Amino acid sequence: MTGEGVRTDRADADAASPDAERARRGGVTGAVLRFLQWFATNPESPLSDLRTALGHIRPALVLWGALAIALVTYVSTGVYSVAPGEAAVVRRFGEIILPRVEPGLHYRMPWPIDQVDIVNVSNIRREQVGVVLPEEEHLHPEPLSKMQTLSGDTNVVDVEVIVQYQVRSPADYLFNIRYAPYRIVRDTLRAAVTRRVTNLPVDALLTSGRQSLQEAIREETQRQLDEYRSGLVIVGIDLQKAFPPADVADAFTAVNTAREERARVINEARGYANSLIPEARGQAQQIKADAEAYRSDVLARANGGADAFQSVLSEYRRNAAANGADVTRYRMYLETIEKIMPRVQVYTVDTSRGGKFNLRLSGDAAKNAPSIRRNQR
C-alpha cells in the first residue's frame, strides 16, 4: 500500500467518526427514555405503588401548604435579639430607620427588606501613640513608631499617650467612617497632641502643665471625633510620657533639679523673711512703746517734782515773809530730822570693859553680840 492510500483511509475514518459518535449517543439516550417510560407505565414499578398510595392527596393542597410553610419560615427570619452591651442598627432598603436598638428580642422585616447590624457598645478599646512596645490584643499592620513634637520654645519632646474609647453612636460608627476605627482615633490623637504641645514651653510640660495638657488633649481629640461624626467617645486618656529624648534627658533633669533647688531656696528665704520681719517689727513696736512709757513716766516725775518744789518754795516764801527766814529754815530742819531719825540705829559700846564694835555686825547680829548695847531713838 502506498502512502497516498494510507492518507485516504485515515481521512475516510475521520469523516465517519462524528456520525458514529452521534449514533452511539442516540442509542444511549433511547435506552434511557425507554427505561423511564417503562418505569412510569409499568404497574409493577415503585412509581406506580407510590402513585397508588398518594392518589387521594390533592396536589393543589400540598402546594398551598408548602407555600404557607415557606412564608411562615420567611417571616420568622425577621426575629432577632440584641445581647446586653450591644446595640443594633436597622436599615430598610439601605436607609437607616432605627439608629439604636437596645438589648432584647425584636422584630424587623425579613431580608432583603430590612437588614440588622449589631455593634458592641460596651467594649472599651485602647489605642496607643508613641509607644514602641505593642500590646498583645492591639496589633495593627502598621509598624509602631515614636512620636516626637516641638514644644512652644522649640524643644524636641517625646510623647507617649494611651487612649481608651468606645462606641457611642452605632449608626455613625458603621456608616460614617470608611477605615479602621483605631486609625481615626490614632490620627486624631496625634493631631491633638501636636497642636497642644506646641502651645506650651518644655518647663510646663515637665512640671505643672502635664495635668492640664492631658485634659486639653482629651477635649481636642473628642472635638475632632465629633466633627467627623465617627460615633466614638473618649472615656480615658493617659499621658504616660512628655519628656525630652534620652540623649538630652540627663541635661534636662539636671536643669530641672537646679531650678527646683533654686525655687526651694527662694521659698525658704521668703519664709524666713516672713517670720523674721514681723517679729522685728513687733520688737520695734515694743521698744517704741516702752520708750514712750518711760518718757511719759520721766516727764510725769519731773513735772511732779517741779510742782512739789514750787509748792515748797511758795510755802517757804510765805513763812519767811511771816516768821523770818531763820525760823523757817530751822523748822524745816527739824521736820527733816524727824523723818530721818526713826530709821537711824545708835549703838553704845562700853570701851572701859574692853568692848569693841564690829562694823560687820548689823541688824539681828548686833542684837546677839555680847558687851554691845543698842539704843535706838
Side-chain angles (χ1 to χ4, degrees):
M1 183 180 295
T2 63
E4 293 181 357
V6 174
R7 285 194 295 271
T8 302
D9 293 340
R10 290 180 178 175
D12 293 342
D14 293 338
S17 59
D19 295 336
E21 182 66 21
R22 283 196 294 271
R24 185 178 63 81
R25 290 181 180 176
V28 173
T29 303
V32 171
L33 291 175
R34 287 192 297 273
F35 174 76
L36 292 176
Q37 184 179 5
W38 172 85
F39 186 79
T41 58
N42 191 355
E44 298 179 355
S45 65
L47 183 60
S48 177
D49 296 338
L50 184 62
R51 189 165 44 245
T52 302
L54 301 177
H56 64 283
I57 298 177
R58 287 186 253 175
L61 184 61
V62 173
L63 180 61
W64 283 110
L67 291 176
I69 293 173
L71 181 61
V72 171
T73 303
Y74 175 70
V75 172
S76 64
T77 58
V79 178
Y80 67 98
S81 64
V82 181
E86 296 179 342
V89 179
V90 180
R91 293 177 292 157
R92 180 165 297 168
F93 298 113
E95 181 182 0
I96 298 175
I97 59 173
L98 295 175
R100 188 184 184 99
V101 180
E102 298 299 328
L105 191 64
H106 305 276
Y107 182 79
R108 46 91 179 176
M109 297 297 292
W111 184 90
I113 301 175
D114 289 350
Q115 294 181 349
V116 177
D117 299 288
I118 297 178
V119 180
N120 190 330
V121 295
S122 64
N123 184 29
I124 297 180
R125 312 175 190 190
R126 292 164 55 92
E127 184 57 33
Q128 54 192 16
V129 171
V131 181
V132 296
L133 298 177
E135 298 183 359
E136 296 180 358
E137 299 179 358
H138 302 84
L139 299 177
H140 303 319
E142 299 86 350
L144 298 175
S145 60
K146 291 185 177 180
M147 181 178 181
Q148 291 184 338
T149 183
L150 290 177
S151 62
D153 49 1
T154 65
N155 286 294
V156 179
V157 180
D158 288 344
V159 180
E160 294 181 1
V161 185
I162 295 179
V163 65
Q164 298 176 343
Y165 66 97
Q166 62 183 160
V167 178
R168 178 171 59 186
S169 175
D172 293 340
Y173 171 74
L174 289 173
F175 305 110
N176 286 343
I177 54 178
R178 298 184 179 180
Y179 52 100
Y182 76 88
R183 292 185 59 190
I184 190 172
V185 172
R186 183 190 60 191
D187 296 343
T188 305
L189 183 61
R190 281 181 173 272
V193 169
T194 303
R195 186 177 295 108
R196 291 298 179 178
V197 170
T198 53
N199 294 331
L200 293 176
V202 68
D203 294 337
L205 295 176
L206 300 179
T207 55
S208 60
R210 290 177 62 89
Q211 186 64 32
S212 59
L213 173 63
Q214 179 173 296
E215 184 63 23
I217 292 174
R218 189 194 68 80
E219 294 177 356
E220 180 73 16
T221 305
Q222 185 62 57
R223 185 181 64 81
Q224 289 293 331
L225 293 176
D226 293 341
E227 289 183 0
Y228 298 153
R229 296 181 60 192
S230 62
L232 301 175
V233 59
I234 303 297
V235 298
I237 188 169
D238 182 15
L239 181 61
Q240 289 193 331
K241 180 181 179 182
F243 205 76
D247 298 338
V248 295
D250 295 338
F252 270 88
T253 302
V255 171
N256 290 330
T257 302
R259 289 177 177 174
E260 292 176 358
E261 182 67 18
R262 183 189 67 176
R264 185 186 64 81
V265 173
I266 292 175
N267 292 332
E268 290 180 355
R270 289 176 178 173
Y272 177 71
N274 293 333
S275 63
L276 183 63
I277 291 176
E279 182 179 357
R281 289 176 178 173
Q283 293 178 355
Q285 293 293 334
Q286 182 66 32
I287 293 173
K288 184 178 180 181
D290 294 341
E292 292 290 341
Y294 177 73
R295 173 178 173 273
S296 300
D297 182 66
V298 170
L299 289 177
R301 290 177 180 273
N303 292 330
D307 292 340
F309 179 78
Q310 289 293 335
S311 62
V312 172
L313 179 61
S314 298
E315 185 68 21
Y316 171 75
R317 287 176 179 176
R318 284 195 302 268
N319 292 331
N323 302 320
D326 294 336
V327 175
T328 301
R329 290 194 187 96
Y330 184 71
R331 183 178 62 80
M332 294 179 66
Y333 171 76
L334 293 178
E335 291 176 353
T336 303
I337 291 299
E338 288 179 354
K339 294 179 181 179
I340 295 174
M341 289 305 293
R343 300 193 299 269
V344 175
Q345 295 178 352
V346 178
Y347 297 92
T348 303
V349 181
D350 188 2
T351 57
S352 62
R353 296 182 181 181
K356 296 180 181 180
F357 179 71
N358 190 354
L359 294 177
R360 298 178 182 176
L361 297 178
S362 62
D364 296 335
K367 296 179 182 179
N368 300 326
S371 68
I372 296 178
R373 185 180 57 167
R374 183 181 67 177
N375 296 325
Q376 182 175 3
R377 292 191 254 177

